[in-house]
Amino acid sequence: MHSHRKPTSLLQAAAAVSGWLISGCSASIENPGLLPTPPMGFNDWARFQCVINETIFTETADAMVSTGLLAAGYNRINIDDCWQEDTRTEQNTLMWNTTIFPNGLPWLASYLKERGFHFGIYEDAGNVTCGGYPGSYGYEAIDAETFASWGIDYLKVDGCNVSPATEAEYHSIYLAWHEAFTNMSDPLIFSQSAPAYFSKWITGSDNLTDWYTTMDYVPYTGELARHSSDIMVYALNETSWDGVTSPWGSVMQNYGYEIKLARYQVPGYFNDPDFLIADHPALSLDEKRSQFALWASFSAPLIISAWIPELPEDVLSYLKNADLIAVDQDKLAQQATLVSRDDTFDVLTKSLDNGDRLVTVLNTGNYTASTNISVSRIGLVEEILGIKVEYTAKDLWTGKNIVFKDELEITDLPMHATAVYRISLSAILADLVKPTGLIWNDASSNCLTAGSDGQIAFDAFSGTDEQVWQIEPLVGTVSPLSDTSLCLTATNHQAILEPCAVVPINLAQQWDYSVSGYLMNRLTKQCVTESTQSSLGTCQDEIDSQVWALPVGVKVNW
Ligand SMILES: *[C@@H]1O[C@H](CO)[C@@H](O)[C@H](O)[C@H]1NC(C)=O
Ligand SMILES: *[C@@H]1O[C@H](CO)[C@@H](O)[C@H](O)[C@H]1NC(C)=O
Ligand SMILES: *[C@@H]1O[C@H](CO)[C@@H](O)[C@H](O)[C@H]1NC(C)=O
Ligand SMILES: *[C@@H]1O[C@H](CO)[C@@H](O)[C@H](O)[C@H]1NC(C)=O
Ligand SMILES: *[C@@H]1O[C@H](CO)[C@@H](O)[C@H](O)[C@H]1NC(C)=O
Ligand SMILES: *[C@@H]1O[C@H](CO)[C@@H](O)[C@H](O)[C@H]1NC(C)=O
Ligand SMILES: *[C@@H]1O[C@H](CO)[C@@H](O)[C@H](O)[C@H]1NC(C)=O
Ligand SMILES: *[C@@H]1O[C@H](CO)[C@@H](O)[C@H](O)[C@H]1NC(C)=O
């Protein structure tokens, strides 16, 4: 991992000395300066699909200025599909539709730039875009130069109509784009759709190997990647939209993909769960606010797809929430990960650049509900030298501080609403933070669970401390919160729980996590495997049984 800042926390310092730092990276994650924090702005797609024109973009830009959205950080205007003519020019360059863009895209670029915006556009990796317009296949370098010459600095490359639709074909095309950008003095920001085409949404297959393999390269080839389904478009009340039946279902579906992929995100590369559908008529205000709070907790792109000139004040107000935008744009760029999941609540946490800890609590249930979250689940210490630590948390919706020990109380959270707290930590307390949360299989969604008699199991989400794991940053030991004196231990083809060794540290109790999702034992070099026969096996190439989502903050080997 490439931290461009000095190791300030114990965790980072530990990573630096323990040789967990990796070698050999390139592109986005080696050049995080191109897009150090996730993009914020507007895209027309989910709101207008192909019914677009110049006025939509100029009026949107004007409204983003007058409503304060630009000042809040939303500084990109991106055009999606259907902006083109049917054919390329005689010089093989692309051409905009002159009926809908009468002044031309270079004019629009200047209009936007004068008002403080960046301008982005859309193309497709195949011969034809999803909407049926000329694709960029074979024209990557020409098109990149053309876009730059129009004043564009951001490109989304979709993945319709790629033939053959193999993982290898996509990889070679996205690499060609990467090479074209690398050749430019001023490369475009590269938003990649390739992983979405290998997600279960498209393939319908339980075999996620190609999805993982595609995710493995996108942090090297570009700055962001769409990993899953399209978010539901405006006002369609379809009984079936990418497998869901409501816009809330669509938000939850993309959220569900996002939470499996935190290991890939670093400053300079961002997982993209798709647009904020801030004026969808079938979303409640709580649901819209939840989408925003969750996306911010992920440090995900905040790209609004709504008719901004008519957004009501309550929507503008949450979109401009400075505390949540600061969380989204935090320099550490951590993606919050699941601490626990039960029938009602998803609890997520991550660290922020100044050492603070974020807690995000989503009520996925259908009723107003309350819960208490222990400080140890958030990765914090309960006491120091026998004295309870008092924590101060800011409610990022109300701005009010609360003070607590032992447990953070969440009271009367409405259905589908999200509570977000930023816990301020002194440098000492920040250094004591331990990555804590679920260890769960990306394919089966089963969780590593501490059983009785030192056994482990792979169980469905239960919300209990037997599924919440604490990873010791210095040594890489893995312990269940239900009994932190036990450590995950490699034996002959089985991972079991044994009392943690103190001195010397037992290599059989030390684990390394990799961006491929493997949890590998340092002694046996075997990987944790979800199987009824043996829970440790020879590490194989991105097979479903060996790919795990771990708490953010665990050192990721690239
Ligand atoms: C642009 O598109 C919008 C939305 O489809 C429509 O309401 C508007 O009349 C169009 N404007 C022009 C100038 O065509
Ligand atoms: C260009 O836009 C006009 C107006 O919407 C539309 O009638 C025409 O079909 C578009 N051209 C192409 C090639 O899509
Ligand atoms: C583009 O079209 C050509 C000619 O039909 C075909 O050989 C090629 O496979 C297509 N490429 C992609 C990426 O779809
Ligand atoms: C990038 O530049 C290299 C060296 O000039 C050239 O060989 C290569 O074809 C270029 N690639 C693209 C995609 O333009
Ligand atoms: C899963 O997909 C990969 C890549 O397409 C393939 O190599 C592998 O054989 C598949 N595994 C199973 C069990 O079908
Ligand atoms: C979809 O549902 C919403 C709210 O139930 C309603 O306001 C809207 O008109 C519906 N849209 C369509 C296209 O039916
Ligand atoms: C909430 O209601 C929806 C639709 O009525 C239902 O499908 C879902 O299972 C319910 N969720 C819970 C957690 O009760
Ligand atoms: C949370 O803790 C408080 C204080 O101990 C208690 O009154 C309350 O009932 C608890 N709430 C839940 C949902 O357990």
Side-chain angles (χ1 to χ4, degrees):
M1 170 119 55
H2 293 262
S3 183
H4 53 292
R5 46 199 286 279
K6 293 216 172 68
T8 49
S9 75
L10 195 61
L11 180 92
Q12 288 165 298
V17 296
S18 69
W20 292 4
L21 289 180
I22 37 83
S23 55
C25 283
S26 62
S28 348
I29 63 176
E30 196 176 66
N31 175 22
L34 188 53
L35 190 69
T37 61
M40 297 173 63
F42 165 81
N43 179 298
D44 58 277
W45 180 260
R47 184 58 169 78
F48 297 102
Q49 295 96 68
C50 281
V51 192
I52 53 170
N53 55 47
E54 189 177 276
T55 332
I56 289 178
F57 296 96
T58 54
E59 290 185 2
T60 291
D62 295 348
M64 288 171 79
V65 173
S66 64
T67 57
L69 284 171
L70 172 64
Y74 297 89
N75 64 356
R76 298 186 178 277
I77 304 254
N78 296 342
I79 299 188
D80 213 275
D81 204 351
C82 304
W83 58 269
Q84 301 187 49
E85 282 299 346
D86 271 340
T87 52
R88 288 177 177 269
T89 66
E90 283 173 5
Q91 289 73 44
N92 280 332
T93 54
L94 296 167
M95 186 61 197
W96 58 86
N97 180 328
T98 52
T99 309
I100 56 177
F101 294 105
N103 290 300
L105 292 188
W107 175 88
L108 184 54
S110 307
Y111 185 95
L112 298 174
K113 196 171 177 190
E114 279 162 17
R115 284 156 184 80
F117 293 99
H118 296 270
F119 188 22
I121 204 161
Y122 168 101
E123 246 296 359
D124 190 275
N127 287 321
V128 181
T129 72
C130 302
Y133 294 91
S136 278
Y137 181 70
Y139 297 97
E140 291 81 5
I142 293 182
D143 291 352
E145 291 294 347
T146 302
F147 294 141
S149 76
W150 292 350
I152 284 165
D153 67 4
Y154 179 114
L155 177 67
K156 170 179 168 183
V157 176
D158 211 337
C160 280
N161 306 307
V162 170
S163 162
T166 57
E167 188 275 320
E169 179 68 10
Y170 275 84
H171 193 175
S172 84
I173 299 175
Y174 281 79
L175 267 179
W177 278 108
H178 172 65
E179 203 189 303
F181 293 137
T182 307
N183 280 0
M184 299 170 79
S185 54
D186 230 348
L188 308 191
I189 287 166
F190 185 19
S191 163
Q192 311 159 91
S193 296
Y197 287 83
F198 297 96
S199 68
K200 191 173 175 179
W201 163 53
I202 291 266
T203 64
S205 165
D206 286 324
N207 181 346
L208 302 185
T209 297
D210 287 340
W211 189 48
Y212 300 137
T213 310
T214 306
M215 283 303 306
D216 288 344
Y217 68 76
V218 288
Y220 295 90
T221 47
E223 283 66 47
L224 58 157
R226 283 280 318 284
H227 46 65
S228 55
S229 22
D230 284 1
I231 202 93
M232 187 183 274
V233 299
Y234 181 74
L236 280 180
N237 296 331
E238 302 206 345
T239 49
S240 174
W241 169 268
D242 294 350
V244 295
T245 54
S246 68
W248 176 245
S250 177
V251 168
M252 285 295 92
Q253 175 161 274
N254 284 16
Y255 164 84
Y257 280 100
E258 175 89 2
I259 52 177
K260 298 178 175 189
L261 301 173
R263 61 188 173 278
Y264 291 104
Q265 187 159 296
V266 289
Y269 166 78
F270 303 93
N271 294 323
D272 183 2
D274 214 6
F275 308 125
L276 298 171
I277 43 175
D279 65 355
H280 199 295
L283 275 185
S284 71
L285 184 60
D286 276 333
E287 291 170 340
K288 293 175 190 177
R289 283 158 45 110
S290 278
Q291 190 192 15
F292 181 71
L294 293 168
W295 268 224
S297 302
F298 292 143
S299 283
L302 298 178
I303 312 279
I304 303 164
S305 198
W307 180 229
I308 289 178
E310 286 176 13
L311 285 182
E313 194 48 47
D314 53 6
V315 169
L316 286 170
S317 156
Y318 81 72
L319 289 171
K320 290 188 288 183
N321 182 311
D323 284 330
L324 281 166
I325 290 174
V327 164
D328 182 77
Q329 297 289 303
D330 186 78
K331 274 190 276 180
L332 212 52
Q334 285 196 355
Q335 182 182 312
T337 48
L338 274 183
V339 166
S340 61
R341 168 176 283 182
D342 61 24
D343 289 346
T344 311
F345 292 104
D346 273 13
V347 178
L348 303 104
T349 190
K350 71 168 181 177
S351 287
L352 295 151
D353 189 57
N354 72 346
D356 287 359
R357 197 76 170 154
L358 187 80
V359 185
T360 303
V361 185
L362 164 68
N363 180 349
T364 59
N366 293 336
Y367 305 95
T368 296
S370 303
T371 186
N372 292 338
I373 301 162
S374 69
V375 293
S376 48
R377 282 200 175 189
I378 313 164
L380 309 180
V381 292
E382 257 173 39
E383 49 180 51
I384 295 182
L385 303 174
I387 300 168
K388 297 278 187 191
V389 179
E390 197 171 77
Y391 290 100
T392 303
K394 183 177 184 183
D395 178 332
L396 299 189
W397 287 124
T398 65
K400 290 194 183 126
N401 280 333
I402 56 165
V403 176
F404 66 100
K405 300 172 185 170
D406 293 320
E407 291 189 325
L408 175 64
E409 286 183 42
I410 308 288
T411 311
D412 295 336
L413 189 63
M415 70 177 263
H416 301 178
T418 297
V420 204
Y421 289 91
R422 181 172 183 146
I423 303 172
S424 32
L425 299 181
S426 64
I428 293 168
L429 288 172
D431 281 349
L432 294 173
V433 168
K434 288 178 188 168
T436 304
L438 297 177
I439 294 180
W440 55 296
N441 185 287
D442 268 7
S444 71
S445 293
N446 285 330
C447 301
L448 183 67
T449 307
S452 52
D453 307 328
Q455 301 303 304
I456 56 151
F458 303 108
D459 288 351
F461 297 108
S462 68
T464 62
D465 276 353
E466 279 75 15
Q467 292 188 342
V468 184
W469 299 84
Q470 201 176 62
I471 289 89
E472 198 65 51
L474 274 168
V475 291
T477 55
V478 177
S479 299
L481 266 195
S482 52
D483 186 349
T484 53
S485 73
L486 299 178
C487 278
L488 191 68
T489 308
T491 64
N492 192 21
H493 300 294
Q494 301 293 345
I496 59 168
L497 291 168
E498 287 192 342
C500 301
V502 186
V503 185
I505 290 160
N506 180 355
L507 272 182
Q509 295 185 335
Q510 292 182 285
W511 302 84
D512 284 317
Y513 188 45
S514 73
V515 75
S516 317
Y518 304 140
L519 186 56
M520 189 197 284
N521 184 259
R522 289 201 192 151
L523 180 69
T524 66
K525 306 293 178 200
Q526 288 187 309
C527 282
V528 175
T529 306
E530 185 182 351
S531 145
T532 46
Q533 287 90 42
S534 63
S535 49
L536 273 185
T538 307
C539 307
Q540 295 179 57
D541 199 12
E542 297 287 30
I543 62 167
D544 284 356
S545 59
Q546 293 184 336
V547 177
W548 302 90
L550 259 68
V552 68
V554 170
K555 182 64 204 164
V556 175
N557 291 333
W558 284 76

